[in-house]
C-alpha cells in the first residue's frame, strides 16, 4: 500500500488542485486515497453529478488521467465499453503489450443505488475487470438535495421534508453493497472517507484483483446534510461508530468486518451533528428514533453474524 | 438536371458489373449481419429486440465461431448498449450495434451524446412502430424519432441496399470531415425477414473498402490524457453544437464520394436518392424504404396507361439533401409524399415537412399532398399507390389540412 507520504510525492494521479468541490466535501479525498493505490494509469467514467460538474467545467479539467462523462445512469455501462475495447485492442496487438490500465467507474448514490442500478448490475454480472466506486452522500446533492434510496430513514431532504405529518424519509436505506455482493463479485465493500487508512488498504487490495469490484464509500455533504465543513471527517467516522454505516468487505464471498465497534454510540450522537436530523431530536419523534435505533441494532447484529463475529 | 443526376443512385455503371458475382438468398437481417461480419468491428454491444434480434443473434454465432475478431458485450438494455458503444468508440475501437423501435427509443438520450462526442458508431436499425399501442411491425416512427439527434440516416429499399448501406455507413461515419455516428435502416419484417437474392461481395474487397480504422482520439492513450464530456456551459456549448452541424454538412459531399467509390468497386453507385421516370413526370411519389420497391410497379402500370408518373426514392434522410432534391423535382407539378410515420405536429409527416421546407427555400410551389400510410405495418399495395398518384394528379390545389394530409387506408 502506498502511504500518504508516498502518495503526495508522486502527484500524478487522480485530481489536480483547483477543482470546484465545496469546502468539506469528501469526494476529492476519496479519489486521492483510492487512485493513489493504483499501480497503473486509470481511465475514469463518472456519472452526471457533483463530482463530474465540479471537476470538469470546460475548458478545464481536474483529471490527471483519461476521463469520460456521458450521462447519469450509465457510468457502469460506459466503463464496460472502455474495458472491452481495451481487451479487444490488446488481443489484436494494437496496444503496447506492456501497457496496463485500470478501469474505474464512479457514481453518486443517486447514480448508483437508483438510476444506475441496472447498468451496474449488468456490468457486475458480465464480470468486466472494473472497479465501481459509489460516493455515497445519501441524497441527490447536485440537483439540490433530493431523497435517494440511500437516504437514511427520518432524513430531511427537499423531497422527503421534515413535515408536520411526515417526519422526513419514511424508509430505511437500501442495502446496495449486499445486493452487489450477491452478484458474486471478486470484491464488494463499504468504506468511509473518515477512515482513510482503511479506505486505502481496500483500494490497494482491489487493484490487485481481476474482475468486477465494487466499493461503496460514505462521505458527508455539508450542504445537503447541514453540517460543519470542518467536521466532515469526524461525522464520517461517527456514522461508522454508531453502526449506521458499518465498514466491511466481501472478498470472494467471505464477509469481513474491517472495523469492529466495541462500544456502539447511539444514533442520536450522529443526528446532533447535522441539520437534516434536527427534527428527530424533538420529543414527538422519540418513538421513531427508537425504532430506527432498533433497526440499526438488528442490521448490525446480522452483519456480525455474516462476518463470523456472532455475539 | 445534370447536377441532380450526379446525386442519384445508379446501378451497373462500371466494369465491375462484368466480373463474377456471388449471389445468395438472404433476409435483410442476414444481409446486415453478413455486412457486420465483413466489417469485423472491434466491439459490438447489443440487446435483443424484435425484429432486429436476428442481426445480433447471427452475429453472436460469428463471434463464438471465431469468424470475427469482435468482442461482443451482451448488455442488459439498449441504453447500456449505446453507452457501452460510446465508451468503446471513445477508446479507439470500431464499434457497432443493432436495434429497433423501443430499443432505439431507449437509446434516445445516448444517441445525442454519441453524436455530440463525434463518435463514428454504426448501427443496424430495423424500422418498427413505436408503442403505444405496442406493435412489432414496420413503420418509421422509431427512426424518425432520432432524426434530430445528429446521426447520419440511410434508408434501404431492400436487403441488398441494407447490406450496401451498412458497409458505406462505416466509411461515412469515420470520415475525418464527418465524424458522426450513422445508421442504416431496413423496414421491419418486410425487408428484415423477407428473403431476397443479393450479391455478397468478397470479404477481402469489403475489408479493403472499409480500410483500417484510425480513431481521432482514444481514452486508452496515457501519453496525452484528456477529458471527454466536460460540463459545457453558456460559453462553449453553442460552438460544440455548431461543430457537429459542420460535420453533418460535410457529410453530404462525403456520402456522394463514398457512394461513387462504392460504385466503382462493387457496381452500384449510391447517391442521395434515386429517380425513376423523373424526366417527364407530371406526378411524382417521394418514398422511403421498401415502399419505393412497390412504387416502381405502380409507376410502370400508370405509364402503361399513359399517366406520366415518376418516383423519387430517398436514401439519405440525414443530412437532408434539400437543394438536390428540389432541383430534381423542379419541373414536377404534383407530388405525393409518403410518410410511414406521423410527426404529430398537426401539419404534415416528417418527410413532407422537410420537403416543404426545401421547396420554400427554392421558391417552388408544386401541388403537394402528404400521405400518412402503413402505420404499424399495415400493408400498402401497388394498386393503392397507383390510386394515390392518380388522386394527387387530379386533385385541386390543397386548401386545408384535410386535403394536404391524407391518412391513407385508415378506418375513420
Amino acid at each position: 500500500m502506498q502511504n500518504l507520504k508516498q502518495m503526495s510525492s508522486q502527484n500524478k494521479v487522480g485530481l489536480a488542485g483547483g477543482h470546484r468541490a465545496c469546502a468539506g466535501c469528501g469526494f476529492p479525498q476519496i479519489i486521492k486515497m483510492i487512485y493513489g493505490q493504483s499501480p497503473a494509469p486509470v481511465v475514469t467514467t463518472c456519472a452526471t453529478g457533483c463530482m463530474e460538474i465540479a471537476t470538469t467545467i470546460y475548458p478545464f479539467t481536474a483529471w490527471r488521467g483519461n476521463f469520460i462523462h456521458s450521462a447519469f445512469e450509465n457510468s457502469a455501462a460506459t466503463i464496460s465499453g472502455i474495458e472491452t475495447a481495451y481487451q479487444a485492442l490488446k488481443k489484436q496487438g494494437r496496444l503496447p503489450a506492456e501497457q496496463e490500465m485500470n478501469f474505474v467507474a464512479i457514481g453518486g448514490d443517486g447514480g448508483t443505488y437508483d438510476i444506475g442500478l441496472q447498468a451496474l448490475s449488468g456490468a457486475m454480472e458480465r464480470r468486466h475487470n472494473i472497479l465501481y466506486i459509489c460516493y455515497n452522500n445519501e441524497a441527490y446533492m447536485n440537483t439540490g438535495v433530493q431523497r435517494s434510496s440511500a437516504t437514511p430513514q427520518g432524513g430531511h431532504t427537499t423531497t422527503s421534508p421534515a413535515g408536520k405529518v411526515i417526519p422526513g424519509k419514511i424508509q430505511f436505506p437500501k442495502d446496495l453493497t449486499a445486493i452487489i455482493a450477491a452478484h458474486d463479485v471478486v470484491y464488494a465493500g463499504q468504506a468511509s472517507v473518515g477512515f482513510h487508512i482503511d479506505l486505502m488498504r481496500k483500494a490497494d487490495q482491489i487493484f490487485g484483483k481481476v474482475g468486477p469490484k465494487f466499493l461503496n464509500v460514505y462521505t458527508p455533504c455539508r450542504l445537503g446534510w447541514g453540517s460543519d465543513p470542518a467536521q466532515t471527517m469526524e461525522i464520517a467516522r461517527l456514522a461508522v461508530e454508531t453502526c449506521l454505516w458499518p465498514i466491511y468487505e466481501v472478498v470472494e464471498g467471505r464477509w469481513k468486518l474491517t472495523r469492529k465497534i466495541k462500544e456502539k454510540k447511539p444514533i442520536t450522537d450522529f443526528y446532533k451533528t447535522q441539520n437534516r436530523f434536527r427534527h428527530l431530536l424533538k420529543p414527538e419523534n422519540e418513538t421513531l428514533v427508537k425504532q430506527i435505533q432498533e433497526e440499526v441494532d438488528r442490521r448490525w447484529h446480522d452483519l456480525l453474524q455474516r462476518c463470523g463475529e456472532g455475539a | 438536371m445534370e447536377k441532380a443526376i450526379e446525386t442519384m443512385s445508379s446501378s451497373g455503371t462500371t466494369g465491375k458489373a462484368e466480373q463474377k458475382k456471388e449471389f445468395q438468398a438472404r433476409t435483410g437481417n442476414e444481409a446486415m449481419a453478413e455486412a457486420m461480419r465483413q466489417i469485423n468491428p472491434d466491439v459490438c454491444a447489443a440487446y435483443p429486440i424484435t425484429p432486429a434480434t436476428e442481426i445480433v443473434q447471427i452475429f453472436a454465432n460469428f463471434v463464438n465461431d471465431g469468424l470475427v475478431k469482435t468482442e461482443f458485450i451482451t448488455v442488459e438494455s439498449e441504453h447500456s448498449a449505446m453507452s457501452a458503444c460510446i465508451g468503446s468508440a471513445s477508446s479507439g475501437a470500431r464499434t457497432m450495434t443493432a436495434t429497433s423501435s423501443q430499443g432505439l427509443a431507449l437509446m434516445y438520450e445516448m444517441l445525442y451524446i454519441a453524436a455530440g462526442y463525434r463518435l463514428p458508431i454504426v448501427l443496424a436499425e430495423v424500422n418498427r412502430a413505436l408503442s403505444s399501442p405496442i406493435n412489432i411491425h414496420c413503420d418509421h416512427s422509431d427512426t424518425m424519432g432520432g432524426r434530430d439527434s445528429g446521426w447520419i440516416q440511410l434508408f434501404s429499399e431492400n436487403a441488398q441496399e441494407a447490406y450496401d448501406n451498412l458497409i458505406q455507413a462505416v466509411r461515412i461515419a469515420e470520415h475525418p470531415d464527418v465524424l458522426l455516428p450513422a445508421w442504416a435502416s431496413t423496414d421491419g419484417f418486410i425487408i428484415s425477414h423477407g428473403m431476397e437474392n443479393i450479391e455478397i461481395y468478397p470479404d477481402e474487397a469489403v475489408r479493403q473498402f472499409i480500410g483500417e480504422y484510425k480513431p481521432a482520439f482514444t481514452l486508452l492513450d496515457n501519453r496525452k490524457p484528456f477529458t471527454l464530456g466536460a460540463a459545457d456551459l453558456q460559453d462553449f456549448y453553442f460552438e460544440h453544437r455548431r461543430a457537429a452541424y459542420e460535420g453533418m454538412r460535410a457529410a453530404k459531399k462525403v456520402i456522394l464520394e463514398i457512394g461513387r467509390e462504392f460504385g466503382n468497386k462493387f457496381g452500384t453507385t449510391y447517391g442521395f436518392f434515386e429517380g425513376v421516370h423523373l424526366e417527364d413526370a407530371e406526378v411524382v411519389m417521394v418514398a422511403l424504404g421498401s415502399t419505393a420497391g412497390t412504387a416502381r410497379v405502380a409507376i410502370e402500370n400508370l405509364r402503361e396507361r399513359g399517366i406520366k408518373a415518376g418516383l423519387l426514392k430517398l436514401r439519405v434522410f440525414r443530412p437532408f439533401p434539400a437543394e438536390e432534391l428540389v432541383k430534381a423535382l423542379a419541373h414536377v407539378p404534383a407530388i405525393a409524399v409518403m410518410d410511414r410515420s406521423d410527426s404529430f405536429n398537426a401539419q404534415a409527416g416528417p418527410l413532407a415537412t422537410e420537403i416543404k421546407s426545401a421547396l420554400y427555400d427554392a421558391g417552388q410551389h408544386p401541388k403537394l399532398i402528404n400521405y400518412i400510410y402503413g402505420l404499424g405495418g399495415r400493408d400498402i399495395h401497388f394498386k393503392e399507390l397507383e390510386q394515390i398518384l392518380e388522386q394527387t394528379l387530379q386533385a385541386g390545389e390543397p386548401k386545408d389540412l384535410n386535403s394536404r394530409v391524407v391518412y391513407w387506408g385508415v378506418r375513420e
Side-chain angles (χ1 to χ4, degrees):
Chain A
M1 187 179 93
Q2 298 272 311
N3 62 33
L4 285 175
K5 201 174 162 190
Q6 288 161 331
M7 278 166 52
S8 55
S9 66
Q10 48 135 297
N11 207 11
K12 282 182 185 153
V13 289
L15 293 173
H19 57 72
R20 295 162 160 92
C22 299
C25 173
F27 79 64
Q29 299 309 313
I30 296 173
I31 297 301
K32 194 183 182 77
M33 302 303 153
I34 295 176
Y35 280 50
Q37 303 308 319
S38 175
V42 176
V43 182
T44 306
T45 69
C46 187
T48 311
C50 282
M51 185 187 288
E52 165 259 329
I53 294 288
T55 57
T56 73
I57 295 182
Y58 191 88
F60 304 105
T61 182
W63 290 91
R64 289 199 167 98
N66 282 312
F67 174 93
I68 177 174
H69 152 260
S70 67
F72 193 7
E73 65 279 58
N74 66 349
S75 192
T78 310
I79 204 77
S80 301
I82 297 170
E83 189 261 351
T84 305
Y86 173 79
Q87 302 298 350
L89 300 181
K90 196 94 194 251
K91 218 181 269 180
Q92 294 171 36
R94 283 161 60 193
L95 290 174
E98 69 283 0
Q99 182 173 333
E100 293 295 329
M101 293 188 108
N102 281 317
F103 301 94
V104 176
I106 306 173
D109 51 290
T112 307
Y113 278 65
D114 293 346
I115 199 168
L117 180 61
Q118 176 185 310
L120 173 60
S121 173
M124 294 286 132
E125 184 273 334
R126 294 188 303 270
R127 307 196 77 74
H128 293 279
N129 183 23
I130 58 170
L131 163 62
Y132 190 103
I133 303 167
C134 173
Y135 70 102
N136 180 1
N137 53 25
E138 301 191 319
Y140 292 85
M141 297 314 186
N142 191 47
T143 44
V145 200
Q146 288 80 36
R147 161 240 203 258
S148 78
S149 59
T151 303
Q153 188 176 6
H156 165 95
T157 70
T158 57
T159 52
S160 63
K164 290 189 180 118
V165 180
I166 301 172
K169 193 193 175 206
I170 298 167
Q171 305 82 359
F172 208 82
K174 171 159 81 189
D175 189 356
L176 180 65
T177 311
I179 292 169
I180 300 304
H183 286 66
D184 199 21
V185 293
V186 298
Y187 187 100
Q190 292 198 167
S192 165
V193 72
F195 289 104
H196 66 269
I197 300 290
D198 176 78
L199 175 57
M200 286 156 58
R201 194 195 55 75
K202 282 173 177 160
D204 182 46
Q205 198 184 346
I206 281 168
F207 286 124
K209 289 184 182 301
V210 177
K213 294 150 302 235
F214 174 79
L215 192 57
N216 199 343
V217 191
Y218 196 80
T219 174
C221 167
R222 44 80 57 106
L223 284 175
W225 292 14
S227 58
D228 178 357
Q231 296 294 307
T232 291
M233 295 303 167
E234 284 79 357
I235 294 170
R237 284 197 284 272
L238 209 44
V240 177
E241 289 158 355
T242 52
C243 299
L244 276 160
W245 188 259
I247 54 179
Y248 62 91
E249 59 194 9
V250 187
V251 184
E252 274 134 33
R254 270 188 292 279
W255 291 63
K256 186 185 161 203
L257 212 55
T258 59
R259 187 163 192 93
K260 293 173 190 171
I261 306 300
K262 293 205 178 74
E263 283 182 39
K264 197 195 310 168
K265 294 181 178 168
I267 55 174
T268 44
D269 283 11
F270 182 70
Y271 290 173
K272 282 173 195 161
T273 61
Q274 301 151 59
N275 288 341
R276 63 175 173 155
F277 297 119
R278 198 166 41 189
H279 58 289
L280 294 184
L281 300 171
K282 291 179 180 164
E284 63 265 32
N285 284 322
E286 232 171 73
T287 313
L288 173 62
V289 172
K290 194 166 161 279
Q291 283 167 1
I292 298 172
Q293 182 69 63
E294 281 167 10
E295 183 61 16
V296 170
D297 294 346
R298 185 189 70 76
R299 290 187 182 228
W300 173 246
H301 176 79
D302 287 354
L303 181 65
L304 288 177
Q305 298 285 326
R306 273 176 161 171
C307 295
E309 307 267 350
Chain B
M1 277 309 287
E2 203 180 61
K3 190 151 191 239
I5 286 164
E6 276 176 24
T7 62
M8 287 194 201
S9 304
S10 57
S11 48
T13 53
T14 70
K16 170 64 182 70
E18 304 307 315
Q19 291 169 26
K20 191 175 130 252
K21 291 181 173 187
E22 192 194 342
F23 285 93
Q24 293 177 17
R26 294 289 168 98
T27 65
N29 280 346
E30 289 168 354
M32 280 185 142
E34 185 66 3
M36 282 178 75
R37 182 187 66 74
Q38 295 183 315
I39 293 163
N40 200 357
D42 300 310
V43 173
C44 171
Y47 189 78
I49 183 164
T50 304
T53 308
E54 252 185 337
I55 299 173
V56 286
Q57 206 170 290
I58 296 165
F59 191 73
N61 283 313
F62 295 153
V63 173
N64 283 12
D65 290 340
L67 300 177
V68 286
K69 64 182 182 203
T70 313
E71 293 285 324
F72 183 34
I73 318 178
T74 48
V75 280
E76 79 299 330
S77 75
E78 289 89 352
H79 192 283
S80 284
M82 190 46 65
S83 298
C85 284
I86 286 169
S88 164
S90 305
S91 304
R94 188 175 263 159
T95 305
M96 293 185 79
T97 186
T99 195
S100 179
S101 184
Q102 305 304 120
L104 190 69
L106 191 55
M107 284 181 184
Y108 184 81
E109 180 189 27
M110 303 318 297
L111 295 178
Y112 280 72
I113 294 173
Y117 292 175
R118 313 298 299 275
L119 300 172
I121 298 162
V122 173
L123 187 157
E125 152 70 12
V126 182
N127 299 317
R128 167 187 148 184
L130 281 177
S131 293
S132 75
I134 189 166
N135 177 299
I136 56 167
H137 294 282
C138 172
D139 73 33
H140 297 161
S141 313
D142 55 351
T143 199
M144 286 301 175
R147 70 188 185 272
D148 295 339
S149 62
W151 282 62
I152 309 279
Q153 285 177 264
L154 308 176
F155 279 85
S156 317
E157 182 189 328
N158 49 42
Q160 182 73 58
E161 285 193 2
Y163 171 75
D164 293 355
N165 278 338
L166 200 59
I167 291 169
Q168 289 174 72
V170 177
R171 287 285 307 281
I172 298 165
E174 290 175 3
H175 194 285
D177 295 344
V178 179
L179 286 179
L180 286 171
W183 74 63
S185 66
T186 63
D187 283 354
F189 292 105
I190 300 165
I191 302 175
S192 69
H193 288 63
M195 186 73 78
E196 292 175 51
N197 199 24
I198 72 164
E199 187 189 355
I200 302 286
Y201 315 119
D203 288 358
E204 183 55 23
V206 175
R207 199 187 63 76
Q208 278 173 6
F209 181 80
I210 296 291
E212 204 178 302
Y213 177 43
K214 295 185 187 74
F217 54 83
T218 166
L219 291 168
L220 301 182
D221 186 356
N222 302 318
R223 288 165 306 177
K224 35 180 184 175
F226 71 103
T227 285
L228 182 62
D232 210 17
L233 305 178
Q234 298 93 325
D235 49 354
F236 282 101
Y237 177 88
F238 205 175
E239 283 69 25
H240 287 137
R241 297 307 294 177
R242 170 72 190 200
Y245 164 81
E246 295 295 343
M248 191 56 91
R249 285 197 59 158
K252 284 185 68 176
K253 186 163 165 270
V254 171
I255 287 167
L256 293 181
E257 280 170 12
I258 289 167
R260 264 196 299 275
E261 192 187 320
F262 188 87
N264 290 335
K265 199 168 178 72
F266 300 114
T268 305
T269 296
Y270 280 85
F272 296 139
F273 44 80
E274 184 185 338
V276 181
H277 294 312
L278 276 189
E279 303 74 31
D280 63 342
E282 286 167 2
V283 60
V284 164
M285 176 167 283
V286 183
L288 293 162
S290 60
T291 302
T294 316
R296 289 176 195 273
V297 180
I299 304 298
E300 296 306 334
N301 288 347
L302 290 176
R303 288 259 162 188
E304 273 177 28
R305 283 159 42 199
I307 298 167
K308 289 183 175 171
L311 166 70
L312 191 146
K313 177 189 82 182
L314 189 60
R315 170 191 177 228
V316 180
F317 190 77
R318 285 288 181 271
F320 193 79
E323 291 163 28
E324 297 79 3
L325 189 138
V326 293
K327 220 171 261 179
L329 294 172
H331 62 290
V332 180
I335 302 170
V337 180
M338 304 299 291
D339 263 302
R340 203 162 195 158
S341 63
D342 195 354
S343 61
F344 296 101
N345 60 8
Q347 184 188 234
L351 180 56
T353 304
E354 295 285 348
I355 292 176
K356 285 184 185 192
S357 163
L359 289 168
Y360 179 88
D361 288 343
Q364 290 168 223
H365 198 278
K367 176 169 61 181
L368 189 151
I369 300 176
N370 181 205
Y371 295 87
I372 311 281
Y373 76 101
L375 301 191
R378 181 158 300 175
D379 204 11
I380 186 94
H381 197 272
F382 65 81
K383 283 183 185 153
E384 293 174 85
L385 299 183
E386 287 172 32
Q387 281 173 35
I388 286 171
L389 281 159
E390 283 183 288
Q391 188 177 305
T392 306
L393 191 62
Q394 286 153 15
E397 184 66 27
K399 292 279 182 272
D400 57 13
L401 188 60
N402 286 335
S403 52
R404 281 189 201 105
V405 183
V406 177
Y407 257 68
W408 181 267
V410 73
R411 290 192 297 276
E412 301 279 3

